[in-house]
Amino acid sequence: MGVARPQTRNEQIVDGIIHVLGIAFGAGATTALIILLWAADDPKRQVSLYIYAGCMMAMLICSATYNILAKDNPVGILRRLDHSAIFLMIAGTYTPLCLMVLGGWTGITLLSIVWTGAILGAAIKILNLTQFKRFTVPIYLALGWAAVFAIVPIYNQSSTVGFVFLMIGGGLYTVGTLFYIWKSLPFQNAIWHGFVLTAAVCHFVAIVIDVVAVAVISA
């Protein structure tokens, strides 16, 4: 969908603002999780949420670092870290949802599949295995929507609001990939990252409602 082109100054500024907002959101979300769960006597829930927060911050920081400082180097380590961190974000988001919402063997199986796929995908990007480059976007989407194979138990175990935010987040990520590959579109990079940030916020809301709030209320 078009050929990649250099960003204009205005495009760089808008994209930079989105990344700054992303890091601010991530820092605030991580702080909120730590505060809310500080006194919770639930190590499994705490660890799953800290894994999620760590993966989220890794994605936000890697994306900001590459897109602000090294966008002109499409094969450098910062780009590879940026694309690898997306896989970690997907798996990290699944972690508290699979362990604390879905649970049981279904949750463990789904989580194992997603983390295996994420590690393989991250390895493709880190090692710069160009022969597999065309598969990375389909792998992102496949991992992101792997939950459809357990959609009924996820729906049954989630709150209505949490489930809606979970689905909206997945939809935003999916629509966003269209802008990711639409390289010739003005402000394409900023639009793509705007979709990613909005989807991450939706998934954070779903996790707060169905994973964090449960622990806070029962404490």
Side-chain angles (χ1 to χ4, degrees):
M1 295 181 66
V3 179
R5 56 175 179 75
Q7 287 187 303
T8 65
R9 182 65 175 171
N10 286 339
E11 287 176 311
Q12 292 174 344
I13 291 172
V14 173
D15 194 42
I17 291 172
I18 292 174
H19 278 95
V20 170
L21 291 174
I23 291 179
F25 157 71
T30 300
T31 301
L33 291 176
I34 292 173
I35 292 173
L36 290 171
L37 293 171
W38 186 259
D41 186 19
D42 194 341
K44 182 179 178 181
R45 190 179 305 272
Q46 290 171 317
V47 170
S48 69
L49 286 166
Y50 296 155
I51 290 173
Y52 157 68
C55 291
M56 175 174 60
M57 288 305 301
M59 183 200 71
L60 293 170
I61 292 171
C62 288
S63 181
T65 303
Y66 165 65
N67 283 279
I68 294 175
L69 300 179
K71 183 65 176 175
D72 294 333
N73 186 356
V75 296
I77 186 62
L78 290 180
R79 177 183 172 88
R80 284 180 272 159
L81 287 172
D82 173 27
H83 287 193
S84 298
I86 298 174
F87 285 109
L88 296 182
M89 176 62 178
I90 295 171
T93 302
Y94 267 96
T95 300
L97 294 172
C98 284
L99 293 181
M100 306 310 305
V101 178
L102 188 54
W105 283 109
T106 303
I108 293 173
T109 301
L110 178 59
L111 187 60
S112 298
I113 292 171
V114 170
W115 266 107
T116 299
I119 291 170
L120 290 174
I124 290 173
K125 301 306 295 187
I126 284 289
L127 298 176
N128 197 30
L129 302 177
T130 54
Q131 65 269 36
F132 300 111
K133 180 180 178 181
R134 66 183 181 276
F135 297 117
T136 52
V137 172
I139 293 174
Y140 287 138
L141 293 174
L143 292 178
W145 285 105
V148 299
F149 294 104
I151 195 68
V152 173
I154 290 174
Y155 176 78
N156 291 335
Q157 296 298 324
S158 302
S159 67
T160 300
V161 176
F163 184 80
V164 168
F165 271 100
L166 185 64
M167 293 298 102
I168 291 175
L172 288 171
Y173 275 125
T174 303
V175 174
T177 59
L178 298 177
F179 294 96
Y180 171 75
I181 63 177
W182 193 353
K183 301 297 185 182
S184 62
L185 178 70
F187 292 92
Q188 168 264 340
N189 216 40
I191 295 171
W192 155 241
H193 291 130
F195 269 92
V196 170
L197 178 57
T198 307
V201 172
C202 288
H203 283 166
F204 174 73
V205 172
I207 288 171
V208 167
I209 291 172
D210 284 338
V211 181
V212 180
V214 173
V216 174
I217 292 172
S218 61

